[in-house]
Amino acid sequence: MSAADGIVTDNFGALPAIYGTVLTSFLAMLIAVPVGLMIAFFLTELCPQWLRRPIGIAIELLAGIPSIIYGIWGLFIFAPFLQATLQPFLINTLGHAPVIGAVFAGPPYGIGILTSGLILAIMVLPFVTSITRDVFEAVPSVLKEAAYGLGCTRWEVVRNVVLPYARVGVIGGVMLSLGRALGETMAVTFVIGNAHRISASILAPGTTISATIANEFTEAVGDLYTSALIALGLILFVITFIVLAIARYMLMRIERRIG
Amino acid sequence: MPENILASRYSGRRRSDAVATALAFAATAFGLGWLVLILGALFWKGFSGLSVAVFTQMTPPPGSSGGLLNPIFGSLVLTVIAVVIGTPIGILAGTYMAEYGRYDRLSTVVRFINDILLSAPSIVIGLFIYEVMVAPMGHFSGWAGGVALAVLVIPVVVRTTEDMLTLVPNALREAATSIGLPRSLSITRICYRAARAGMVTGVLLAVARISGETAPLLFTSLNNQFWSTNLNAPISSLPIVIFQFALSPYKDWQNLAWTGALIITLAVLALSISARALVATGKQS
């Protein structure tokens, strides 16, 4: 049941919003985690010493930009760009594929689930990067030196020594970023399209919990509508609380181990 | 092992290392590329609308010229309220956790909850303040907006205060106690002084964090099209005006939204850079 019908019939449902929240965050993590890990690999092993600080600061500046800036940029620059380039490309290629075709079908709206997922990916990338870099740097250098001494390449050292040692911390950092992505409001509200339906296509507009609350709360008429939106807020809080609690627990574990 | 197998294995390892290295370079360029693109667009679009009128005139109705004076003023007022309420609570809580109850069970629990609050969705905080302040009072107000932002300031200040006080060497505390200072004086006169740069940094970071926050203000301080200094009434703020103007169909409103976005970003960048500089000078001394 969608909230759009509910306004008339006083019948509300949260499923499209929960679906949109989970899907956009999943897309964001799908991109941000591998990219963030590779940047951390670059910063800890490949980057010359004098360049580390400037790049680290630049990545953290990306984290400091308020989410509303991502929103306005996404609405006016990124969404039209995607509408003209990536989305027609996806529709013309993957959209005709036999099984996954429905996922990339439909007109290129510009705004929608995919765009929101991409903006979220850009937003959480600095969180993933800076936490992963910190845990990578906490790996004792004797371990790394031993691996280098055996003749490992840099990539082998990161894959077989650094990553296993820092695993708990990396997972904690990823969960922490996931918590951010799930609760992010403004960046998503601008580009999600606020459509209360579950579409098979990720190019279609959708909605997330936070976008629904931001868009509709001040316009909600009647106690039941307001209460339904507050209940939606509770669902969001419970989801993010669980994710963030797991994240903190894991980061606490690695902190204890390091000392 | 025959030599050609060894050679092929070596070249395979070398190849995967080269591929991974190339990917790492590409990922870093990708990450930094977004920063350049976003800031570039912001400066390009924002500077064209920047003029004296932006800082001297009120938000206009669609179709006429105007500025952003009332939202800028509103944002400053809300930030001041948030800092005035949030900083003392944050510093006191951080002091308890670092000085009096460092190994208490209570501190562990508070630290855990505080860390979660640090990244809790800000829109949920907006809903919370709506329920405890706006609904009982019966109207949206600047006070509610300030308190909502204060809830965001507290965890940042708690965290940095505790971290900075934990870094103060115990020898300083012991020296203070040995010359007969009571606990309270050794904290305020010795530990605070040693941790001051870090604690100020925490407040600056908190201000940077809240200056762009929109979600908690949507249904607490709402918005006001006119000049208003009444904190019991809805008050304008930059993020909300950006939100409203950017989503409007009017070209001149959209341009003002870009200018507002540029102002916020410049403020946030200035705050985080000065926080960083403060940490750097603190380390040297």
Side-chain angles (χ1 to χ4, degrees):
Chain A
M1 181 56 68
S2 71
D5 305 329
I7 297 164
V8 184
T9 58
D10 263 357
N11 196 347
F12 301 96
L15 193 59
I18 297 174
Y19 169 81
T21 304
V22 173
L23 186 58
T24 48
S25 301
F26 173 74
L27 285 173
M29 301 320 285
L30 204 64
I31 299 166
V33 170
V35 175
L37 281 174
M38 289 316 268
I39 299 182
F41 168 42
F42 176 80
L43 283 175
T44 51
E45 299 296 323
L46 302 174
C47 187
Q49 201 71 41
W50 58 272
L51 208 61
R52 276 185 201 183
R53 245 179 82 78
I55 292 187
I57 289 175
I59 296 279
E60 275 157 37
L61 282 186
L62 204 56
I65 297 177
S67 59
I68 190 156
I69 309 297
Y70 286 94
I72 187 171
W73 178 78
L75 177 69
F76 287 122
I77 310 235
F78 196 47
F81 171 76
L82 288 180
Q83 188 175 22
T85 55
L86 181 67
Q87 293 191 344
F89 171 75
L90 286 177
I91 293 165
N92 290 331
T93 52
L94 293 172
H96 299 302
V99 183
I100 54 165
V103 179
F104 300 101
Y109 287 102
I111 56 175
I113 299 269
L114 177 67
T115 313
S116 310
L118 291 176
I119 296 251
L120 280 180
I122 302 171
M123 276 201 71
V124 296
L125 183 60
F127 298 119
V128 180
T129 307
S130 62
I131 296 174
T132 329
R133 183 198 56 191
D134 290 349
V135 274
F136 275 15
E137 271 174 0
V139 174
S141 32
V142 242
L143 283 182
K144 286 196 278 188
E145 282 157 13
Y148 281 125
L150 289 173
C152 286
T153 61
R154 283 187 283 215
W155 172 239
E156 283 165 349
V157 169
V158 170
R159 250 201 68 181
N160 303 323
V161 178
V162 175
L163 213 50
Y165 188 91
R167 193 178 52 219
V168 184
V170 170
I171 296 173
V174 168
M175 298 289 275
L176 197 65
S177 316
L178 179 63
R180 293 267 173 149
L182 288 168
E184 178 46 45
T185 311
M186 296 326 288
V188 172
T189 307
F190 274 95
V191 292
I192 190 83
N194 206 31
H196 284 277
R197 56 170 183 264
I198 299 178
S199 312
S201 171
I202 57 167
L203 302 179
T207 193
T208 67
I209 296 177
S210 47
T212 305
I213 301 171
N215 269 319
E216 299 177 18
F217 195 80
T218 40
E219 288 160 14
V221 278
D223 285 345
L224 192 64
Y225 196 173
T226 312
S227 302
L229 287 173
I230 290 180
L232 209 52
L234 176 68
I235 295 172
L236 176 65
F237 184 68
V238 171
I239 296 175
T240 48
F241 189 90
I242 293 169
V243 170
L244 292 173
I246 297 172
R248 285 299 169 190
Y249 174 72
M250 291 190 144
L251 288 173
M252 257 162 73
R253 259 178 59 189
I254 191 140
E255 262 167 36
R256 231 173 258 156
R257 183 158 56 162
I258 289 164
Chain B
M1 216 180 282
E3 213 151 83
N4 57 342
I5 294 184
L6 264 183
S8 79
R9 191 170 289 174
Y10 279 141
S11 69
R13 286 175 57 197
R14 205 171 288 146
R15 207 176 307 122
S16 66
D17 184 57
V19 169
T21 307
L23 281 178
F25 273 97
T28 311
F30 179 81
L32 294 178
W34 292 119
L35 184 70
V36 174
L37 280 177
I38 293 175
L39 288 183
L42 200 59
F43 279 90
W44 181 256
K45 293 261 191 181
F47 263 124
S48 59
L50 209 56
S51 64
V52 182
V54 170
F55 300 99
T56 54
Q57 291 179 16
M58 306 299 148
T59 46
S64 55
S65 66
L68 293 166
L69 178 61
N70 47 334
I72 291 174
F73 172 77
S75 276
L76 287 178
V77 170
L78 291 179
T79 308
V80 168
I81 297 175
V83 170
V84 166
I85 299 174
T87 311
I89 299 177
I91 286 183
L92 287 175
T95 306
Y96 170 79
M97 282 156 64
E99 297 289 335
Y100 293 104
R102 192 179 286 190
Y103 305 104
D104 274 9
R105 194 150 192 87
L106 177 67
S107 292
T108 317
V109 175
V110 170
R111 195 172 299 133
F112 191 72
I113 300 285
N114 188 65
D115 279 350
I116 289 177
L117 199 58
L118 201 60
S119 30
S122 52
I123 191 149
V124 173
I125 288 160
L127 283 177
F128 166 70
I129 297 296
Y130 176 87
E131 280 298 311
V132 300
M133 280 188 77
V134 177
M137 286 162 83
H139 55 84
F140 299 99
S141 69
W143 287 117
V147 173
L149 292 181
V151 175
L152 289 167
V153 168
I154 292 172
V156 183
V157 177
V158 169
R159 183 67 200 260
T160 45
T161 306
E162 195 209 347
D163 284 354
M164 290 305 144
L165 285 178
T166 315
L167 286 179
V168 174
N170 267 332
L172 279 181
R173 296 194 183 89
E174 285 156 12
T177 312
S178 73
I179 57 165
L181 278 185
R183 195 79 183 270
S184 58
L185 281 183
S186 95
I187 291 171
T188 49
R189 297 276 171 82
I190 309 292
C191 298
Y192 278 176
R193 212 161 279 183
R196 190 168 49 199
M199 286 159 69
V200 175
T201 307
V203 176
L204 287 181
L205 287 179
V207 173
R209 162 100 202 268
I210 61 170
S211 53
E213 277 292 347
T214 320
L217 297 177
L218 281 171
F219 18 83
T220 50
S221 67
L222 207 67
N223 194 4
N224 196 332
Q225 272 201 289
F226 308 103
W227 177 259
S228 167
T229 52
N230 181 3
L231 285 173
N232 272 316
I235 192 165
S236 187
S237 58
L238 265 181
I240 303 282
V241 167
I242 295 173
F243 181 49
Q244 188 197 344
F245 280 18
L247 286 174
S248 77
Y250 312 112
K251 197 75 200 151
D252 43 352
W253 271 20
Q254 292 175 0
N255 290 338
L256 268 181
W258 276 109
T259 309
L262 178 67
I263 295 173
I264 288 190
T265 311
L266 289 179
V268 170
L269 290 185
L271 281 167
S272 30
I273 288 169
S274 45
R276 215 167 266 288
L278 206 61
V279 172
T281 54
K283 267 184 195 149
Q284 275 162 14
S285 63

